[in-house]
Amino acid sequence: MVTEPAGQQPAYYVKSVEKTFAVLLAFTSDEPRLTMTRVAAKADLSRAAARRFLLTLADLGYVSTDGTHFELTPRALDIGASFLANLTLPQIAEPHLRQLAVDLNETTSLCILDGTDVVYIARVAAPRLLSVSVNVGTRFPAWATSMGRILLAGLPPAHREAYYKSIQLTPFTENTVASIDALRSEVDRAAELGWSLVSRELDDGLRGLAVPVKRGNDLIAALNVSLQTHRMPEAEIAETVLPCLQQAAEAIASDFGGRSRGVA
């Protein structure tokens, strides 16, 4: 590979391509309609250059204009459509799970609801662990896990009640929720808070913290971190771990085409 001197672009570099994408990326969810002057400022172009790029993109069908303002057209989606079509939620989530696992030095997972169980669809073990007993495809009763309770909290009330009628609670530890009424209260609390913490119910040495991952208004998965009970006091989790988890959930949702806003 040929290394260019610092500050210089490679000989093949097409500056106009860079400028084209600067113009396209000037349009954001906060500013979907822009004047030519505003595009020039955001793309670091002269007004004359911005005009040429915008009018060319309009001729190609990527932007539309009313004569004063410009905005992207649906055709702009074609640029990333092929890439997005080949991505699945686990693929999108994995780099975020890896970074979260490194940041927290804990195991991170992404789960979906399947019947009465949660199913792991992506999982990254804590960097300090040499082996794990839970893998992609592992199932647990949804009612006994933090991610399960977040997913149950996102169900319509009638579906939630149907779920309660379909299960039988079995103790895993002495801390396992013991009644449907108690479970209902925990799920209602998860719905109210937008996150769920389950402590020592499935495994006496573990706590699980989970937040929702949403695409628009649709709850698509739960993001979870498993915390060994001896590594952090429970009182600190909401202040130190929860913001990291919520940020990762937002990033996954954004990459998958939506925004996570908590459980409704």
Side-chain angles (χ1 to χ4, degrees), residues 151-196:
L151 293 167
L152 291 172
L155 294 176
H159 292 185
R160 217 185 291 176
E161 289 301 318
Y163 176 87
Y164 297 143
K165 293 177 181 178
S166 71
I167 61 172
Q168 182 175 354
L169 304 183
T170 303
F172 291 94
T173 73
E174 62 180 15
N175 298 296
T176 301
V177 66
S179 70
I180 295 296
D181 285 342
L183 174 62
R184 184 183 287 108
S185 295
E186 289 296 320
V187 173
D188 289 347
R189 185 168 184 267
E192 180 181 353
L193 294 175
W195 53 274
S196 174

Side-chain angles (χ1 to χ4, degrees), residues 64-248:
S64 63
T65 180
D66 61 6
T68 302
H69 291 84
F70 293 81
E71 58 186 325
L72 297 180
T73 68
R75 187 171 186 179
L77 295 172
D78 292 347
I79 296 172
S82 297
F83 174 72
L84 292 174
N86 291 318
L87 286 181
T88 65
L89 180 57
Q91 287 175 313
I92 290 171
E94 186 171 356
H96 298 290
L97 294 181
R98 290 192 181 282
Q99 186 60 55
L100 188 62
V102 170
D103 292 343
L104 298 176
N105 199 22
E106 299 287 0
T107 297
T108 59
S109 307
L110 194 71
C111 295
I112 59 172
L113 191 64
D114 183 28
T116 60
D117 296 336
V118 290
V119 180
Y120 289 79
I121 61 172
R123 185 169 171 85
V124 175
R128 68 178 185 278
L129 299 181
L130 297 178
S131 63
V132 292
S133 58
V134 177
N135 299 293
V136 171
T138 297
R139 308 171 73 96
F140 286 119
W143 56 266
T145 67
S146 60
M147 49 280 200
R149 291 178 190 176
I150 276 293
L151 293 167
L152 291 172
L155 294 176
H159 292 185
R160 217 185 291 176
E161 289 301 318
Y163 176 87
Y164 297 143
K165 293 177 181 178
S166 71
I167 61 172
Q168 182 175 354
L169 304 183
T170 303
F172 291 94
T173 73
E174 62 180 15
N175 298 296
T176 301
V177 66
S179 70
I180 295 296
D181 285 342
L183 174 62
R184 184 183 287 108
S185 295
E186 289 296 320
V187 173
D188 289 347
R189 185 168 184 267
E192 180 181 353
L193 294 175
W195 53 274
S196 174
L197 177 65
V198 173
S199 184
R200 305 172 64 187
E201 292 194 34
L202 191 64
D203 185 304
D204 198 47
L206 291 176
R207 296 188 181 98
L209 178 66
V211 298
V213 178
K214 300 185 76 174
R215 188 174 193 174
N217 293 322
D218 297 326
L219 177 61
I220 56 173
L223 177 63
N224 160 269
V225 60
S226 296
L227 305 161
Q228 294 189 357
T229 53
H230 69 274
R231 286 179 55 81
M232 180 181 297
E234 184 171 334
E236 295 181 10
I237 293 174
E239 293 183 4
T240 59
V241 179
L242 180 61
C244 297
L245 205 61
Q246 291 172 326
Q247 185 177 11

Side-chain angles (χ1 to χ4, degrees), residues 11-25:
Y12 61 79
Y13 198 86
V14 181
K15 192 70 175 179
S16 60
V17 174
E18 177 188 336
K19 293 178 179 179
T20 300
F21 278 97
V23 169
L24 290 171
L25 293 173

